[in-house]
Amino acid sequence: MAKYAILSDIHANLEALSVVLEKCREIELDKFICLGDIVGYNANPSECLEIVRNLEPVAVVKGNHDEHASIASEEMEGFNPHARKAVIWTKDQLNEEQREWLSGLPYRATVQGTNITIVHATLDSPENWRYIFDAHHAADNFTYQFTQLCFCGHSHVPIAFCKKPISSTAEKPIDEIQNWAYSPEEGVFPRDVEVADELRVSVQTGFKYLFNVGSVGQPRNRDPRASFAVYDSVERQVTRYRLPYDITTAQRKILAAGLPERLALRLETGN
Ligand code: ZN
C-alpha cells in the first residue's frame, strides 16, 4: 500500500522535473514510476536521466526517444526533423553506460505487488509506438490489460478511459473520463496558467482504468504546465497535477544548445 508518482515524457526538461519532484516531496510519496521518454527535445538529458535513476523507481519503461537516443542507427520512423535533430544531439550528451541503461529498459512492465501495468505507448503493440486518442484505441489497449490500472504516455495529452464490468448493462463498455482531458480552446491561453491545479478520479471495484498522465517536460494539450499523476492505493484515487514551472530558463537552454527554436517556442504554448 503506497502512494506512487507516475511521471511520463520528462524529455530532458530539468526545470519542469524539479518542480514536479518538489511537489512529490510535499505530498510525501513513497514510490516513483516512470513511463519513458526521459530524454529528447529539451537540453538536460544526462541530468534528468541521473535524477530519475536516483529516485530508484519501482518500474521504468522505454519511450521512443529513449530508444533512438540509445542505439547506433539514425533511422527514425515517425520523427519530424526537429525531434530527429534533438535525438542526435541527445545521443552525444549521454555516455555509453547511460545509453546502455536506456536501451535495456522494457517496453511494458507490471509493477510488482500492485494492480498497475505501465507502457509508454500502447499495450497491444508497445514497440510500434501507437497513440491512444479515442475509445477505439483504448479498447485495443484494454484487451491486453490484465491489471485494474494501466498508465501510459507518448501523446503528451492527458486522456483517461474506464472499462465497465462485464455484468454492466450500459450501452458503451468504455467511457472517456471527461474532466481528465481538459484542454483549453485553440488560441485561448489558459487563464490559470500560473496556478497549480489538481483533479481526482476514484478507482471503483470491477472497473478497469487507462490513464495517460500527460507530459512533465513538453505538455501538448495547449496547457503549458507540467503534468503528472499520483496513485494512492489506500484511498484508491488517481490525482492529476498541473504545475507551472520556469519555462523561460528551459527555453534559453534549448537555444543555447543549438537545438531547434521550435522546441523552445512550443513549451510556452503547450503544443
Ligand atoms: Zn514523448
Side-chain angles (χ1 to χ4, degrees), residues 135 138 142 160-164 170 172-178 207-208:
F142 278 126
F161 299 91
C162 74
K163 187 174 190 294
K164 294 160 200 165
K172 286 193 299 178
I174 294 170
D175 263 342
E176 187 178 340
I177 301 170
Q178 292 297 340
F207 287 69
K208 271 188 184 176

Side-chain angles (χ1 to χ4, degrees), residues 9 11 36-37 41 64-65 120 154-156 215 218 220:
D9 297 275
H11 281 300
D37 274 3
Y41 291 128
N64 49 327
H65 289 251
H120 182 69
H154 191 41
S155 68
H156 301 202
S215 168
Q218 195 199 71
R220 284 183 197 159

